[in-house]
């Protein structure tokens, strides 16, 4: 019995030694990234073919941060600009993309429809909505929209913004003659008089700057609840197969957020991923809100509350036609937590409360 006990003890020590050697091997056991990583988002039609992406994705792409992170790997990147927001969701669903920048509503619709994704990083916050009318239009406010032909794309991020804006002014979708058009078509329709007004993003400022419209309402500096939020979505099977690679992609975008939040880069964040005309519109759209808030990558109370409210409202409107899902589980914080720790940025950004107000000063 004594001999058997000693033999088992020796085997146990050998097993522990082997485990220790495996643990010390660390980097040698790191996963091999895929040969190609595909990132997609809505195309910037006004930026030209040489530019792709918006916000943190545009910054990281233009500054070569993806390539820098993966320079020791045999990995290439494909940056895919798609013409419409729904096309981004379709590309994810058909495995044509690994990562995508998506607005709050469309990403929830896709997940509800059964597209296995994870929300792994807030990419931008406080995306504003604008209401444009012809320069000679009698419409002066949201209240004047009652009975008018109003264009906005249903199912797009702007859809819920419009519903929230109408509700805040005592109206509902039933009070207007809704026309579902994409931005380019609605701009043409406004010029021809086929519609009376159009809701959209800061691209409508270009229309105003060209003298073709006037802006009679915006959420900027007014209603944070009616703004839209966007995030980085990853296919669940990709995150499971390549967890380290997924963490590195998030780290790249956190580095872009750090660069964009630096006051020294206040002007540089507006190019070259946007055309000059769009740069001016984005600057105006940003207003007095610093980029450290708009590009804040934290899953803070504001971001979480906005997504929960979007989920609730989308269900009420029957825009989510699939199965219910746990929103908090869909939001995977683990990759962001790794990135913040690796970059020593755990206290770099101020979390925002549910109303969008900074909670406390960051203590780096």
């Amino acid at each position: 019995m004594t001999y058997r006990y000693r033999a088992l003890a020796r085997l146990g020590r050998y097993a522990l030694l082997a485990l220790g050697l495996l643990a010390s091997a660390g980097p040698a056991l790191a996963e091999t990234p895929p040969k190609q990583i595909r990132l997609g988002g809505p195309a910037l039609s006004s930026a030209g073919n040489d530019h792709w992406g918006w916000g943190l994705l545009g910054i990281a792409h233009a500054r070569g941060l993806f390539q820098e992170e993966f320079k020791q790997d045999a990995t290439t990147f494909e940056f895919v600009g798609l013409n419409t927001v729904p096309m981004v969701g379709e590309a994810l669903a058909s495995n044509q993309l690994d990562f995508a920048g998506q607005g709050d509503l469309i990403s929830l619709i896709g997940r509800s429809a059964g597209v296995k994704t994870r929300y792994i990083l807030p990419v931008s916050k406080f995306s504003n909505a604008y209401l444009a009318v012809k320069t000679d239009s009698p419409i002066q406010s949201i209240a004047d929209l009652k009975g008018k032909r109003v264009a906005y794309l249903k199912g797009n991020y702007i859809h819920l913004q419009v519903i929230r804006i109408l509700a805040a002014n005592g109206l509902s979708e039933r009070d207007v003659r809704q026309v579902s058009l994409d931005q380019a078509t609605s701009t043409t329709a406004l010029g021809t008089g086929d519609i009376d007004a159009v809701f959209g993003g800061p691209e409508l400022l270009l229309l105003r700057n060209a003298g073709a419209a006037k802006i009679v309402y915006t959420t900027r500096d007014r209603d944070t609840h009616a703004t839209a939020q966007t995030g980085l979505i990853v296919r669940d099977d990709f995150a499971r197969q390549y967890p380290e690679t997924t963490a590195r992609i998030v780290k790249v975008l956190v580095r872009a957020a750090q660069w964009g939040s630096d006051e020294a880069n206040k002007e540089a964040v507006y190019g070259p991923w946007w055309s000059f005309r769009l740069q001016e519109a984005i600057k105006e759209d940003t207003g007095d809100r610093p980029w450290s808030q708009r590009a804040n990558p934290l899953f803070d109370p504001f971001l979480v509350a906005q997504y929960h409210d979007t989920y609730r409202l989308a269900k009420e409107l029957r825009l989510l036609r699939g199965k219910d899902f746990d929103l908090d589980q869909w939001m995977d914080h683990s990759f962001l937590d790794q990135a913040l720790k690796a970059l020593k940025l755990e206290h770099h950004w101020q979390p925002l409360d549910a109303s969008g107000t900074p909670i406390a000063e960051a203590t780096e």
Side-chain angles (χ1 to χ4, degrees), residues 208-224:
R208 180 209 61 190
N209 293 346
K214 63 181 179 181
I215 304 297
V216 295
Y217 176 89
T218 175
T219 56
R220 190 183 67 231
D221 304 324
R222 184 185 306 199
D223 187 3
T224 58

Side-chain angles (χ1 to χ4, degrees), residues 21-22 28 80 97 124 200 261 271 273 275 292 320 332-333 338 343 356:
L21 290 172
L22 286 172
V80 183
L97 293 176
S124 66
S261 298
W273 36 92
S275 67
S292 58
L320 303 184
D332 187 344
H333 303 210
Q338 290 179 55
L343 297 170

Side-chain angles (χ1 to χ4, degrees), residues 100-296:
Q102 282 194 307
D104 44 17
L105 177 59
I106 196 68
S107 60
L108 293 175
I109 289 175
R111 181 64 186 84
S112 177
V115 183
K116 300 298 184 182
T117 60
R118 300 187 205 179
Y119 181 106
I120 57 174
L121 183 72
V123 169
S124 66
K125 299 173 180 177
F126 306 109
S127 295
N128 291 306
Y130 293 81
L131 176 66
V133 299
K134 294 187 70 172
T135 55
D136 58 352
S137 172
I139 296 173
Q140 299 293 328
S141 67
I142 298 297
D144 295 333
L145 294 179
K146 191 168 184 178
K148 297 295 190 297
R149 298 162 298 177
V150 183
Y152 52 92
L153 189 59
K154 297 197 77 166
N156 197 0
Y157 74 94
I158 196 69
H159 187 181
L160 290 193
Q161 287 185 275
V162 171
I163 290 172
R164 287 168 171 149
I165 293 167
L166 292 175
N169 288 272
L171 298 176
S172 72
E173 281 191 292
R174 294 182 179 181
D175 293 312
V176 302
R177 295 164 60 188
Q178 195 274 332
V179 183
S180 185
L181 299 173
D182 61 36
Q183 195 64 64
T185 308
S186 62
T187 297
T188 301
L190 184 67
T192 59
D194 291 320
I195 58 173
D196 301 303
V198 55
F199 276 104
E203 65 276 359
L204 290 178
L205 295 174
L206 300 179
L207 203 62
R208 180 209 61 190
N209 293 346
K214 63 181 179 181
I215 304 297
V216 295
Y217 176 89
T218 175
T219 56
R220 190 183 67 231
D221 304 324
R222 184 185 306 199
D223 187 3
T224 58
H225 179 62
T227 61
Q229 326 308 317
T230 59
L232 183 70
I233 311 298
V234 63
R235 291 196 343 265
D236 186 65
D237 59 352
F238 185 97
R240 289 179 185 278
Q241 184 175 358
Y242 300 107
E244 294 178 19
T245 301
T246 302
R248 292 169 70 185
I249 291 293
V250 170
K251 187 172 74 170
V252 165
L253 293 174
V254 171
R255 286 182 59 201
Q258 179 187 20
W259 183 88
S261 298
D262 189 336
E263 192 67 19
N265 300 320
K266 184 176 181 179
E267 290 298 316
V269 296
Y270 298 108
W273 36 92
W274 286 310
S275 67
F276 176 75
R277 291 172 64 242
L278 192 53
Q279 283 180 36
E280 295 304 307
I282 296 295
K283 284 182 182 180
E284 181 179 343
D285 176 66
T286 301
D288 295 329
R289 188 177 295 280
W291 255 74
S292 58
Q293 291 183 20
R294 295 201 69 162
N296 177 340

